[in-house]
Amino acid sequence: MRLDFVGIVFAALFFCWSLTPSLLPRDWLFQGLIGGINAVIGYGVGVVIGWLVRRFVLARVPWWPLPDRAMWWLKAIAVTASIAASLLMLVWSAHWQRQLAALMDAEGTTTTGYIRTGVLSMLVAALLISLFRVLRDLVRWVARQINRLLKVPRPAANLLGLLVVLVLALTLVDGVLLRGMYAAANSVFGLQNNRTPSGIAEPMLPERSGSPESLAKWDTLGYEGKYFVARGLRADALSTANGTTAMQPIRVYVGLDSAPTAQQRADLMLAELERTGAFRRKALVVIPTTGTGWVNPTAAQAIELMYNGDTALVAMQYSYLPSWISFLADRDKAAAAGRLLFDTVYGKWSSLPEQARPKLYMYGESLGTQAGEGAFKGLGDIRSKTDGVLWVGPPNSNRLWRQFVDRRDPGSTEVSPVYVDGLVVRFINNPADLRKLDDQPWLEPQVLYIQHPSDPVVWWSPDLILKRPDWLSEPPGPDRLPAMKWFPFVTFWQVSADLANAAGVPDGHGHNYGTSVLDGWAAIAAPPGWTAQDQQHARTVLKQVMKSQGPEK
């Protein structure tokens, strides 16, 4: 295919930008895809700029166009320089990727292996440019038909042709492809939801949903619900771990198939809480789930260890689609589900005598934080209805998170914001940040956000396309390379690619929060007499549990 040489130069520029480091290490495959997409964007920008310059600038220059030989040399030099720059950036990018991997204690890439990125990017770019040219030819064909049949001027026919193709394309994408993909996703993940995880069996303890005594039957809990109620240390194991007699932890879960409607599921969930005696425990934790219905097993086990089993954890499934699909397709559903879950629990809890009811906490992770935030109108609502909130890895679009971050105290950063001197709401990047704040007043009930500087879930936003965020203008957090910069379009696709591997990095980085949830619980919900030694012991036990039961799902 014949290419515009100005477009080639800009394609190389955007490709080189895409090779700069992002939040997480990227292998050659992801980098190749992102490089190809950004090269096509750059090519389109270059074609438009080249046309504007030729049309409105060079057209008025007497010595333009240059002789054919001079033009040939100009194009040859431009293309050669573009290729050379791309190769040099591939080598330098491999070096950055190794630095980033070392920062996260992950395995780095090799320079020779990373050269494959360039080949893949060229293939991706060629495919996308071919697709756009097919669409361009279709626009021209439609314009000719309009011009011939309706006898309208050619410029108007071209515009009408573009509009017709755009409408057809949008109708095809939205009405056929997206709906078809959504239906296919429902079918595929619906089948997954009906499966039972390997090594998981129906619990026999009455304190667990899905048990023979439970009102929420085992076969209706869904894949993640079964995993949640069947896992965790029982009372005897907790007694051994903590050296004192433990209570049997309560885990209540209601799946999508447990009742026909959302309200009926909420009623069933409340009945399960009452059946298990959840309102007589020391701590009651409301856990809005992620899109699939997942509950972080480490977070659940951590608070059960802290309270020696005198806890009740409750979650209710609202979807079985992965969080990223739920986020794109119907994020309002998550907020509505979180509100229904919390309001149902709170309605019963608030009717109990104050001295006889448990501490009421909320935990959420990832899309679960968005569901959790949906339960509250604002900070005053949180303070009047809960005894503390722990939110981990919040998406950038979260309503309350966004308000707190945007209104942060002057001088604090977006990655480590301080809201009203940290009197109620605090943000930390890692457990060490909590220790730095030990001597500062923190009013109860307390709200704590844990967010890694390298977590793409926290920092991804469509605004990255054309706007540099504050977090890329400020000094980097502890696990982000200073070499990461913002570039229009490019950074958006880089962080989008990071989402695919957000949890595939070592503990303490990306979207993998590991045992830091224990520190979060200890900060906002520590039982009376809790000490640093207790916390270290609980961390040791928690790591053993994580190792014996397998990695987080």
Side-chain angles (χ1 to χ4, degrees), residues 105-316:
D105 298 320
E107 184 178 352
T109 188
T110 63
T111 301
T112 52
Y114 220 63
I115 295 298
R116 292 175 293 184
T117 292
V119 178
L120 179 58
S121 293
M122 289 178 62
L123 293 175
V124 171
L127 178 62
L128 292 176
I129 290 175
S130 298
L131 176 61
F132 286 129
R133 289 196 168 186
V134 168
L135 292 175
R136 182 196 63 184
D137 292 342
L138 180 60
V139 168
R140 290 175 176 175
W141 181 84
V142 172
R144 286 196 299 270
Q145 305 313 307
I146 292 174
N147 177 258
R148 180 173 62 85
L149 296 174
L150 301 180
K151 308 301 181 183
V152 299
R154 190 58 182 268
N158 289 337
L159 179 59
L160 288 173
L162 176 61
L163 292 175
V164 168
V165 172
L166 283 176
V167 169
L168 290 174
L170 290 174
T171 301
L172 176 64
V173 171
D174 183 54
V176 179
L177 294 180
L178 289 182
R179 293 178 187 272
M181 290 172 61
Y182 190 68
N186 268 295
S187 176
V188 170
F189 292 106
L191 292 174
Q192 168 70 8
N193 186 63
N194 293 330
R195 292 178 53 233
T196 298
S198 176
I200 295 298
E202 178 182 349
M204 295 293 107
L205 297 171
E207 291 85 359
R208 300 294 174 107
S209 292
S211 65
E213 294 88 349
S214 175
L215 303 173
K217 300 307 178 184
W218 171 253
D219 290 339
T220 71
L221 298 187
Y223 187 90
E224 298 294 353
K226 294 175 182 177
Y227 190 91
F228 172 66
V229 299
R231 295 281 289 249
L233 296 180
R234 305 300 196 261
D236 55 349
L238 286 171
S239 299
T240 301
N242 290 330
T244 182
T245 303
M247 295 186 69
Q248 199 66 256
I250 294 172
R251 291 193 179 188
V252 168
Y253 193 99
V254 173
L256 270 177
D257 296 329
S258 297
T261 68
Q263 186 58 57
Q264 288 174 315
R265 290 192 289 272
D267 294 340
L268 177 60
M269 176 266 297
L270 183 58
E272 272 286 272
L273 288 173
E274 293 177 327
R275 179 191 68 79
T276 56
F279 293 103
R280 297 191 296 272
R281 294 302 176 97
K282 284 186 179 179
L284 172 59
V285 184
V286 180
I287 309 176
T289 67
T290 62
T292 58
W294 178 76
V295 175
N296 185 340
T298 304
Q301 188 64 81
I303 196 163
E304 290 172 343
L305 275 167
M306 287 175 58
Y307 279 82
N308 206 28
D310 198 359
T311 56
L313 312 183
V314 55
M316 187 168 68

Side-chain angles (χ1 to χ4, degrees), residues 23-24 452 454-461 495 498-499 501-502 510-511:
L23 293 171
L24 302 177
H452 292 153
S454 59
D455 185 355
V457 173
V458 178
W459 309 117
W460 182 90
S461 167
V495 179
D498 288 336
L499 288 172
N501 192 41
H511 203 54

Side-chain angles (χ1 to χ4, degrees), residues 18-32 34 92-110 114 117 452-456 478-481 484 493-512:
S18 75
L19 293 171
T20 58
S22 185
L23 293 171
L24 302 177
R26 295 192 302 274
D27 62 21
W28 70 273
L29 181 60
F30 271 123
Q31 181 56 61
I34 297 307
W92 195 248
S93 180
H95 170 70
W96 276 324
Q97 292 299 320
R98 287 192 292 272
Q99 284 185 323
L100 190 54
L103 197 62
M104 300 184 180
D105 298 320
E107 184 178 352
T109 188
T110 63
Y114 220 63
T117 292
H452 292 153
S454 59
D455 185 355
D479 62 349
R480 179 171 69 82
L481 284 182
M484 182 180 179
W493 289 111
Q494 285 181 314
V495 179
S496 296
D498 288 336
L499 288 172
N501 192 41
V505 291
D507 185 352
H509 306 285
H511 203 54
N512 184 355

Side-chain angles (χ1 to χ4, degrees), residues 278-286 303 307 310-314 342 345-346 349-350 352-362 385-389 444-446 521 524-528:
F279 293 103
R280 297 191 296 272
R281 294 302 176 97
K282 284 186 179 179
L284 172 59
V285 184
V286 180
I303 196 163
Y307 279 82
D310 198 359
T311 56
L313 312 183
V314 55
F342 182 81
V345 176
Y346 178 77
W349 177 86
S350 60
L352 301 174
E354 187 172 352
Q355 67 275 12
R357 63 195 186 197
K359 293 285 187 180
L360 181 60
Y361 300 106
M362 175 176 277
K385 293 181 176 179
T386 74
D387 291 293
V389 171
E444 295 183 352
Q446 299 159 338
W521 279 130
I524 70 160

Side-chain angles (χ1 to χ4, degrees), residues 456-473:
V457 173
V458 178
W459 309 117
W460 182 90
S461 167
D463 292 343
L464 287 171
I465 296 175
L466 294 173
K467 181 182 178 183
R468 180 174 62 180
D470 289 346
W471 60 272
L472 275 174
S473 305

